[in-house]
């Protein structure tokens, strides 16, 4: 998707003053990802306007959360007691339209420690996202056995600033950027502080706890970190890996999203997410394509 | 696979004094990954003793390199001009035996910037490794457009020390550890400096350049970084993601392999690889299961 000035504006993601046209004006993330069982590991799903990006296309992390729900349900049907997506990897092949789509799953293995499932989201019979899941069981409230990765400093949430898409109805999620690690919108598109790093708070309306499966959405909720370094067209995700390391405590999450090297037209983007008790709950990485300015 | 004292010893990986039984005594990585085209995107492959780990099982990175070769070949057959595995993600379902196996590929998309392929390695009709590839074209000798990640200090290669498996014939690769970031073998198994970080040189006999597809092997060539922190049984990889960021220059590579958080029986392991010109050529991450000591 190319960058089009005017599709972004400086506000939070849940543009509450914009009524939905074909969907309810408010849609909670949990309400937005219902699955309709179709039998034999297949599920129907709706890709709503509330979880779209500029150009009326579904958000990649939203589709991943839907796939994750389907993977957990399919494994449970085969006797797995693994409700959490410990690891997921997804290839993005093309961007489907908003509206109905279908998910197909294959349970590869139901094990003692983990179960493994592949899942594909298709529209009109064509696979748009192809993902694999390793499912397991995390313990609520547990502390790491070893290692630490404390959250970076962020300004208090009420001093942080939004960055969102226009013409999109509210979806009950907010992304609020640390002013020193935010993007600004200019006539040529978004730009940042040049560090390649964005920091933001993520919260659900009412600060309810984000579930492990919903963390798949959070892991790809940020705008491209490359915008902090170079203005380009939109930066499509080619492949996304997300590890869910812990069950989040209630309250807002903190996200650090950064690119480290832009090379030969590809950029890595690393996402880390901490819960309100300073525990690392997500480690994610993606590789993106970007068309660099020449000369 | 459980840890069994005696299957490791303090030497380099290419135990040159151990003759092979059923394979040539020396096997170059390139010679070890030939594919036999079987038509319709299928390929035959041999999993040789030279690229095994303790217990006579094939090395996970070796299987990934075979899958990568197959993915590139399958995409080329469909007109793709994308010889390099920019991104790959693999789920490890179970560990096949040494000997013949079969790879099946599906080309999902042949695009302008990238092509995407899924590939599975099966034995006796059962899928052991399920992988997806994003292929592209890297430019030899190119420098990053932005960003830097310089290699960490390592002792000179001739002051570094080996750590390998007994009873395995030579395979033309060497892994030589920085003494301050190595593992030692004791009666209870390997242990390290407690930092969770290993550093090593990797080289092919003759210091020939490692090809981009061979980097898939390198990305999983290290023993578990968790051994630096805690002695457990073997630490099986559940899911591995590897990005190939540049074409390596000739000469030895440097690897940093580290775990950052061990939590709820799962550990992340991050692998970075630099070439002889200090360019980052690999970014990889895997999630492993480990059974922690209780009490």
């Amino acid at each position: 998707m190319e960058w089009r000035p005017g599709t972004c504006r400086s506000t939070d993601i849940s543009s509450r003053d914009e009524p939905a046209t074909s969907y309810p004006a408010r849609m909670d993330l949990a309400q937005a990802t219902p699955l309709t069982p179709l039998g034999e590991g297949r599920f129907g799903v709706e890709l709503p306007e509330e979880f779209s990006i500029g150009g009326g296309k579904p958000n990649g992390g939203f589709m991943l959360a839907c796939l994750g729900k389907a993977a957990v349900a399919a494994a449970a049907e085969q006797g797995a007691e693994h409700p959490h997506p410990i690891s997921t990897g997804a290839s993005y092949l093309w961007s489907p339209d908003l509206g109905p789509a279908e998910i197909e799953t294959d349970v590869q293995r139901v094990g003692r420690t983990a179960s493994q499932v592949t899942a594909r989201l298709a529209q009109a019979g064509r696979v748009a996202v192809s993902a694999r899941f390793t499912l397991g069981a995390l313990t609520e409230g547990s502390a790491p056995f070893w290692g630490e990765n404390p959250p970076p400093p962020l300004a208090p949430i009420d001093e942080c600033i939004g960055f969102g898409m226009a013409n999109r109805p509210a979806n009950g999620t907010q992304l609020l950027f640390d002013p020193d690690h935010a993007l600004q919108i200019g006539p040529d598109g978004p730009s940042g502080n040049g560090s390649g790093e964005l920091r933001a708070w993520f919260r659900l309306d009412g600060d309810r706890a984000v579930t492990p499966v919903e963390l798949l959405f959070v892991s790809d909720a940020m705008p491209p970190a490359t915008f902090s370094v170079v203005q380009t067209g939109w930066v499509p995700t080619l492949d996304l890996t997300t590890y869910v390391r812990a069950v989040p405590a209630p309250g807002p999450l903190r996200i650090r999203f950064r690119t480290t090297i832009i090379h030969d037209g590809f950029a890595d983007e690393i996402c880390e997410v901490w819960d309100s008790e300073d525990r690392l709950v997500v480690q994610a990485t993606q590789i993106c394509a970007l068309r660099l300015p020449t000369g």
Side-chain angles (χ1 to χ4, degrees), chain A residues 6 26 63 82 91 111 115 117 126 137 147 164 168 185 232 253 286 289:
Chain A
R26 289 281 302 282
M63 291 190 285
H82 296 137
S91 288
S115 295
V117 182
R126 190 175 161 213
R168 188 173 61 188
I185 305 293
T232 64
L253 304 173
Q286 57 180 279

Side-chain angles (χ1 to χ4, degrees), chain A residues 59-123:
Chain A
N59 175 288
F62 178 80
M63 291 190 285
L64 196 63
C66 294
L67 285 161
K69 275 197 171 183
V72 168
E77 268 177 28
Q78 300 199 15
E81 293 180 0
H82 296 137
H84 302 136
I86 304 298
S87 165
T88 177
S91 288
Y92 290 87
L93 304 169
W94 60 276
S95 183
D97 294 324
L98 300 180
E102 196 175 307
I103 292 174
E104 186 186 77
T105 61
D106 284 306
V107 178
Q108 310 269 301
R109 185 173 75 98
V110 173
R112 191 168 52 162
T113 304
S115 295
Q116 288 165 305
V117 182
T118 60
R120 291 157 296 286
L121 186 146
Q123 201 174 58

